[in-house]
Amino acid sequence: MASDTDQEDFSFGEMFEEPAGYLPPPPPSKLVEYTRPSPLDPRTIKINLLGTHPLWGHHLWNASKVFASYIDANPQTVRNKSVLELGAAGALPSMIACAQKARRIVVTDYPDADLLQNIQTTVDLNFPRSPIISVAGHLWGHNIENILELNGNQKYNVLVLCDLVFNHSEHAALMRSVLGLLEKDGRAFVVFTHHRPWLVEQDLKFLERAQSEGLVCERILEEYTGAMFDDDPGDERVRGTVHGFVLSYPVIVADQ
């Protein structure tokens, strides 16, 4: 019988480790500038984007640009209000909310270090040392307490959801966050494009879910921007149109 010292070593060691330089480095981050209409100040918002990311956080989505324009045209949407952005990626609407004098802004995305650091970079580029903006990780449907703490343990006046409804498997979790974080007289803005025209009905099920939870759903905008990705399949007009809705709790009229 072989002794312990005679036994073969069946560990694979470094056999399957990739040699240094085998994989190409990830693309570098890039800076994108968003120009606001004159005479708004600041005129230019700088958005830092990751070179690539599996959660699509490396794009400045058309829905975000359209809603940023909507805020600038309707500053009362955010002025002197608490604003929470979910799945922020480039966080353009949050930057516009700050420019339009929101009272408190919390910018969230999936709790991934690269995503959150990228958002923080964008904040620092535009509003360095601002005391009203916080960046935090948030997994939809879970642990809303830390997000509430960032607003003095109060729910938010405004929720921003830009290009999130394509993630059909997460509709229920996303709705839990909306219901847990939206103030009773607040409004949640849901802005999106049907990137896959054959899945329009599935995208819209998020709005149906909101209505089933007692929220009122109202269309606020529809704008053709052109498709995000020219080579994607499906009707380009569908892929290139941004839709916007606002969700709110029904107004209860007191008895006279």
Side-chain angles (χ1 to χ4, degrees):
M1 183 175 179
S3 67
D4 290 343
T5 56
D6 293 332
Q7 292 179 358
E8 292 185 64
D9 180 6
F10 287 103
S11 66
F12 294 103
E14 299 179 354
M15 181 182 298
F16 294 111
E17 291 185 9
E18 292 155 348
Y22 178 77
L23 292 176
S29 62
K30 59 184 177 182
L31 193 65
V32 175
E33 291 189 347
Y34 173 82
T35 303
R36 304 167 72 203
S38 179
L40 293 174
D41 182 51
R43 183 78 191 282
T44 300
I45 300 293
K46 300 177 178 67
I47 302 295
N48 199 68
L49 295 174
L50 295 170
T52 187
H53 197 276
L55 297 180
W56 301 94
H58 55 296
H59 293 291
L60 181 57
W61 296 91
N62 288 337
S64 292
K65 291 189 282 188
V66 168
F67 189 58
S69 177
Y70 178 89
I71 295 173
D72 273 336
N74 303 275
Q76 73 281 1
T77 301
V78 298
R79 188 154 295 171
N80 297 319
K81 295 176 181 176
S82 57
V83 178
L84 171 67
E85 186 169 4
L86 299 172
L92 175 60
S94 290
M95 299 304 99
I96 301 299
C98 188
Q100 288 291 2
K101 298 180 173 54
R103 173 173 52 81
R104 183 78 175 107
I105 303 161
V106 176
V107 195
T108 69
D109 210 322
Y110 185 83
D112 170 85
D114 289 339
L115 278 176
L116 299 180
Q117 181 54 56
N118 184 69
I119 293 172
Q120 187 63 57
T121 298
T122 290
V123 172
D124 294 340
L125 284 169
N126 295 282
F127 303 102
R129 297 177 298 279
S130 172
I132 69 167
I133 308 179
S134 296
V135 177
H138 175 56
L139 186 63
W140 298 340
H142 299 274
N143 190 24
I144 64 171
E145 286 76 16
N146 65 316
I147 306 301
L148 293 172
E149 287 174 4
L150 292 170
N151 190 39
N153 291 312
Q154 300 293 316
K155 294 187 177 184
Y156 291 80
N157 304 126
V158 176
L159 267 57
V160 178
L161 294 75
C162 282
D163 249 334
L164 305 184
V165 302
F166 75 92
N167 196 347
H168 306 146
S169 65
E170 297 304 310
H171 280 186
L174 181 57
M175 183 53 61
R176 287 197 299 273
S177 288
V178 169
L179 296 173
L181 294 164
L182 182 63
E183 190 176 74
K184 284 299 181 184
D185 60 352
R187 298 192 295 171
F189 292 87
V190 184
V191 188
F192 58 89
T193 297
H194 298 298
H195 296 288
R196 297 166 292 179
W198 58 95
L199 295 177
V200 167
E201 290 185 4
Q202 285 86 338
D203 291 346
L204 294 176
K205 284 182 178 179
F206 181 77
L207 302 179
E208 294 174 10
R209 181 181 292 272
Q211 291 172 310
S212 72
E213 294 286 355
L215 296 174
V216 176
C217 178
E218 177 187 359
R219 179 183 288 276
I220 57 167
L221 64 86
E222 181 174 323
E223 181 176 330
Y224 176 76
T225 61
M228 280 286 296
F229 309 107
D230 292 337
D231 296 332
D232 276 3
D235 188 326
E236 193 276 339
R237 192 79 192 179
V238 176
R239 294 186 293 111
T241 300
V242 174
H243 306 270
F245 295 83
V246 61
L247 306 178
S248 61
Y249 288 99
V251 175
I252 301 176
V253 179
D255 294 336
Q256 300 295 323

